[in-house]
Amino acid sequence: MPKKERKRLQVVISEEQDALLTKTAYELSSPERLISKSEVVRLAIEKIAREMGGDIQLDDLRALLDDENVSEHGGKNASEGEDA
């Protein structure tokens, strides 16, 4: 039986986001099963995708992403671009 092909994604996250990933992985883990931060990210992707089928407010998600872009780019929105 062939192995399932996986894609690899690299993202830059803040210290706070890394701490949240670590905390969540720790809380989901048990002595029998350790949960990795990558597994937490995969769970979060699944949860967002399922909720988007329901009453999730897309504008709220976009606003959250805009807020994070502002903090990551020193007050600049990602759509404004960066100075060369």
Side-chain angles (χ1 to χ4, degrees), residues 19 26-27 32 54 58 70:
Y26 178 79
E27 289 175 354
E32 299 82 28
L58 294 179
V70 167

Side-chain angles (χ1 to χ4, degrees), residues 13-83:
I13 60 173
S14 69
E15 298 259 341
E16 293 83 13
Q17 291 167 328
D18 185 57
L20 284 171
L21 274 176
T22 302
K23 179 182 177 206
T24 304
Y26 178 79
E27 289 175 354
L28 289 172
S29 293
S30 68
E32 299 82 28
R33 171 95 162 85
L34 294 177
I35 304 296
S36 70
K37 291 192 281 188
S38 294
E39 289 173 300
V40 172
V41 171
R42 287 192 289 271
L43 287 171
I45 291 168
E46 288 292 328
K47 184 173 176 19
I48 291 169
R50 287 183 186 150
E51 287 180 4
M52 286 182 76
D55 292 332
I56 194 165
Q57 299 297 322
L58 294 179
D59 290 337
D60 291 342
L61 288 176
R62 289 183 184 114
L64 180 61
L65 290 172
D66 287 342
D67 289 346
E68 289 197 6
N69 284 334
V70 167
S71 66
E72 287 176 7
H73 297 288
K76 251 188 194 187
N77 190 316
S79 63
E80 294 174 2
E82 293 184 36
D83 295 332

